[in-house]
Amino acid sequence: MPLSKRLAHAALALTLVAAPLPLRAQDAHHPGPQAEAKPAPRGPEGRRLPPDSTTRQSVKLPDGRSLDFTATAGSLPLVDEAGKLQAEIAYVAYTMAPEAGRERPVTFAINGGPGAASAYLNLGAIGPWRLPTGGASISPSQAVTLTPNDGTWLDFTDLVFIDPVGTGYSRASDGNGKTYWSIDSDAATLAAVIARYLRVNDRMASPKFYVGESYGGFRGPLITEKLQEEIGIGLSGMVLLSPVLDFGWLETPRANPWGYVLKLPSLAAGALERAGTMPDPALLSDAEAYAAGPYLTDLLKGPSDKAAVARMTDKVAPLTGFDPAFVRAQAARLSTRSIQREIDRTEGRVTSAYDTGITGWDPNPDAAQPSFEDPQLTALQAPLTSAMLDLYARTLKWPLPNLRYELLSNAVNRGWSWGSGRQAPEVLSNLKGVLALDGQLRVLVAHGFTDLVTPYYASKLLLAQVPAYGAGRLSLAVYPGGHMFYSRDDSRAAFKRDVQRLYQDALKARDSRSAPPAGAPVEQLKDTP
C-alpha cells in the first residue's frame, strides 16, 4: 500500500488559521518615507514568532537584468479544530507582479534531512540571493555576504520556502515536535501548509509547482498525492533534486550487492573529474553497463570466489581510479567510508560523501579507523546558518534574537519515525500514481554525478520502471557535481535551463486545456519567458 494511504488522520484534522496581516517594512535598498507600522493581529494565543514582515527588494543579475520583487518573512499558525495553537510554520516568500492577464506560477520549496531547513534551496540554488560556496573545499569561517543569484527561478516563478516543524524557526507550540516527525504526519502537515498559503494569499488560481531536495524529493510525490486526492489542489510540476525514491535501494546491508552497483557509476564520475575530464552520460555508459551486468553477476558469487574478485578488480580499479590492491582488499565491494579516506590519502585529506570533488583535512590520518566530519555538509553549517540569520535580520526585517535557528536539526533526524512496515519506505509507487492521475503533470528528477549519498544511477534504474504513461513528462537530468551540484556555476545554469523548459511545457499544456471553445473571444497569451 502506498505510504500516503496510511497518512495519520490526526494530522489531517489540523487546519491553518489566517495569517496576520504583514508588518510592512521599508528595505534599506529603497530609502524613503515609511508609513507607521502597526502591530498585526496575533491570531491564536501562545504564538512565539513575530508578525510577518514584508519588504520591497531588488537584485541586479549578472546578465544586467534587474528583478524587483516583494519578500515576506513570517509564519502560518497551525491550530486544531478547537482553535488551539499546535505549531507555527515559518516561511520566506518572494513574489513579483504578474503580467497583465496572466497568473504567475508559484513554487513551494522544501529541503530534506529529515531535519533540514529550506536555506539550502533558498541561498544555494534558486532564491534571488546566493551564498557562494563553490570550490574544492569549504571554510566554516568564510564571509557570509550574499550575491545576486544568476540561477534564481524568481524570473519565471514566485518562490515560497517552507521550514517543517523543528527546522528553521518552525516550532510545535508545546516544544515537542515528535507528532510531526514521521513520514505520514509530515507529508500531511506540509500539504496543509501549502494549501493554506494558497488560500490566505489568493493564489488558488495560480499554476503550482513543487521543488524538494534530498528527503524533500522523497516528500514530493507524497505531498502531491495528498494535494490531489484529499485537499483538492493539482500541481503542474515537480522538481525532485537529489531525491531518495526508495530507501530499500540505498540503505542496504553490506552483504547486499545492490548498494555497490548503484554507487559504481558515481565513483567512475569522480575518477574522470580527478583526471581532468568532466563526466557526462556518454562517458559513463560503460560504467553503468558494467555495474548492472558483469559486476552484479560477480558480486553475487560472493567474496570467496577468487576468480570473480580478480575480474572485478581488473575492471573496478581503472574505472574508479583506485589502487588495485585497495580494491582487491575489499573484494571490489567499496564502502563509502573507506572511499572518502582513500581518494586523497597521500595528502591526508578526506572527501565528502555528498560530492567526491570536495575535500577537507583528515583530523586523524594515522588512525586505523576513520573518524571525521563531512567536508561539505558539516562545513556548510556555520556559513549557511550565519547567512540566513543575517538575511532575516537585516534584509527581510524579521529578526528573532531569542529563538535558535535550526539549519539541520539532529533532534528531528534522530527522532524521526519511519513507520513499522516490513518494507523500507519508498515513493516510486506514489510517483506513478500522481503521473497516472494527472496526464499534464511534469516531473524532473535532477542529480549530481559525484554524489554517493543519493547516487544518480539509483534514480535512473527506478524511473525506468514507470510505465509509458510517464513518457515525455518524466525526465532525469544529471549534472557535474554532487548532492548540491548547484554550487557549481555551470551546473546551476544548466539546471535552471532544464527547469525553465519544464515550466514552459507545463504551462503550455495547462493553457491548451483551459482555452475557450472555438468562436469565443480569446485574449492573446504570451509564453513564459
Side-chain angles (χ1 to χ4, degrees):
M1 178 182 291
L3 291 172
S4 61
K5 301 300 183 185
R6 296 181 280 130
L7 289 174
H9 293 292
L12 297 180
L14 296 173
T15 57
L16 292 170
V17 301
L21 296 175
L23 171 66
R24 290 198 169 271
Q26 194 77 12
D27 185 71
H29 297 296
H30 295 80
Q34 177 181 343
E36 180 181 356
K38 297 181 179 180
R42 295 297 297 136
E45 294 183 3
R47 295 196 64 182
R48 300 172 65 189
L49 299 182
D52 294 3
S53 171
T54 298
T55 58
R56 296 196 306 271
Q57 304 288 345
S58 181
V59 294
K60 187 172 183 179
L61 301 180
D63 62 7
R65 292 180 300 135
S66 293
L67 299 179
D68 298 318
F69 60 97
T70 297
T72 300
S75 65
L76 290 168
L78 191 66
V79 302
D80 62 17
E81 291 180 333
K84 183 179 179 181
L85 182 67
Q86 301 296 305
E88 294 176 271
I89 308 298
Y91 72 94
V92 173
Y94 305 118
T95 61
M96 292 180 65
E99 295 180 21
R102 185 171 196 119
E103 289 281 350
R104 188 168 157 82
V106 57
T107 299
F108 297 92
I110 300 175
N111 265 95
S118 59
Y120 298 90
L121 285 170
N122 191 345
L123 299 187
I126 66 174
W129 299 284
R130 184 174 67 86
L131 178 66
T133 58
S137 63
I138 297 171
S139 169
S141 62
Q142 72 166 70
V144 296
T145 303
L146 300 180
T147 63
N149 183 11
D150 53 358
T152 186
W153 297 3
L154 185 57
D155 49 355
F156 59 86
T157 179
D158 292 340
L159 298 167
V160 183
F161 297 89
I162 297 172
D163 293 337
V165 172
T167 75
Y169 288 127
S170 296
R171 297 290 188 275
S173 60
D174 62 0
N176 182 9
K178 288 186 70 67
T179 300
Y180 306 92
W181 298 346
S182 72
I183 293 171
D184 295 347
S185 61
D186 171 76
T189 300
L190 291 172
V193 171
I194 289 171
R196 186 59 194 180
Y197 178 89
L198 293 169
R199 290 195 294 268
V200 168
N201 293 280
D202 195 23
R203 299 299 301 270
M204 202 60 72
S206 300
K208 307 162 197 70
F209 294 82
Y210 175 91
V211 56
E213 180 179 4
S214 197
Y215 187 79
F218 182 89
R219 285 171 162 136
L222 294 171
I223 291 172
T224 301
E225 187 176 66
K226 176 62 54 189
L227 290 170
Q228 283 181 343
E229 298 181 12
E230 300 189 31
I231 297 181
I233 293 172
L235 298 185
S236 294
M238 280 192 293
V239 179
L240 310 182
L241 197 163
S242 302
V244 180
L245 298 177
D246 189 336
F247 277 95
W249 279 41
L250 298 185
E251 296 184 349
T252 58
R254 185 165 173 79
N256 187 326
W258 201 232
Y260 308 117
V261 170
L262 300 179
K263 290 185 177 71
L264 186 62
S266 291
L267 293 175
L272 287 172
E273 278 200 348
R274 294 192 296 277
T277 300
M278 196 59 65
D280 63 36
L283 291 174
L284 291 171
S285 60
D286 180 53
E288 292 179 8
Y290 172 69
Y295 183 51
L296 177 58
T297 300
D298 277 339
L299 285 171
L300 290 171
K301 295 181 185 300
S304 62
D305 189 318
K306 294 183 179 180
V309 171
R311 286 193 298 270
M312 290 187 290
T313 299
D314 289 344
K315 185 69 174 181
V316 170
L319 271 178
T320 60
F322 294 124
D323 186 282
F326 170 76
V327 175
R328 189 180 303 108
Q330 297 192 64
R333 294 157 168 80
L334 304 181
S335 71
T336 298
R337 199 67 171 171
S338 69
I339 291 162
Q340 288 182 262
R341 210 180 193 197
E342 186 67 21
I343 286 177
D344 207 3
R345 180 185 289 274
T346 57
E347 298 296 326
R349 297 179 70 82
V350 291
T351 191
S352 170
Y354 291 83
D355 186 344
T356 59
I358 294 176
T359 66
W361 294 110
D362 187 339
N364 299 293
D366 54 342
Q369 297 296 324
S371 177
F372 51 85
E373 298 294 335
D374 190 88
Q376 183 179 38
L377 186 68
T378 308
L380 273 176
Q381 182 85 10
L384 195 53
T385 297
S386 295
M388 198 67 204
L389 291 174
D390 187 66
L391 177 70
Y392 269 128
R394 294 206 295 175
T395 303
L396 303 181
K397 311 301 183 188
W398 203 61
L400 286 89
N402 297 322
L403 187 62
R404 177 187 173 97
Y405 177 81
E406 295 284 357
L407 176 69
L408 188 59
S409 170
N410 288 326
V412 174
N413 195 271
R414 289 194 300 266
W416 199 259
S417 174
W418 296 97
S420 57
R422 294 172 63 92
Q423 293 183 333
E426 58 88 18
V427 291
L428 186 66
S429 300
N430 308 84
L431 180 60
K432 291 178 181 179
V434 297
L435 283 168
L437 189 64
D438 188 345
Q440 296 186 61
L441 177 67
R442 264 75 175 166
V443 179
L444 173 66
V445 178
H447 280 275
F449 282 115
T450 51
D451 178 11
L452 299 180
V453 176
T454 58
Y456 81 90
Y457 196 44
S459 288
K460 182 173 183 176
L461 294 176
L462 283 166
L463 296 180
Q465 309 308 311
V466 177
Y469 54 72
R473 299 187 294 122
L474 173 63
S475 58
L476 172 70
V478 189
Y479 310 94
H483 200 73
M484 291 169 268
F485 58 81
Y486 47 75
S487 64
R488 303 194 188 192
D489 294 344
D490 291 343
S491 295
R492 186 171 61 255
F495 180 45
K496 178 179 179 179
R497 289 193 297 269
D498 290 340
V499 170
Q500 194 163 4
R501 190 177 305 115
L502 177 143
Y503 276 62
Q504 290 171 344
D505 292 343
L507 295 179
K508 286 179 181 178
R510 189 176 189 269
D511 290 345
S512 67
R513 285 296 184 95
S514 60
V522 179
E523 180 180 359
Q524 186 66 35
L525 297 178
K526 295 181 180 179
D527 288 337
T528 304

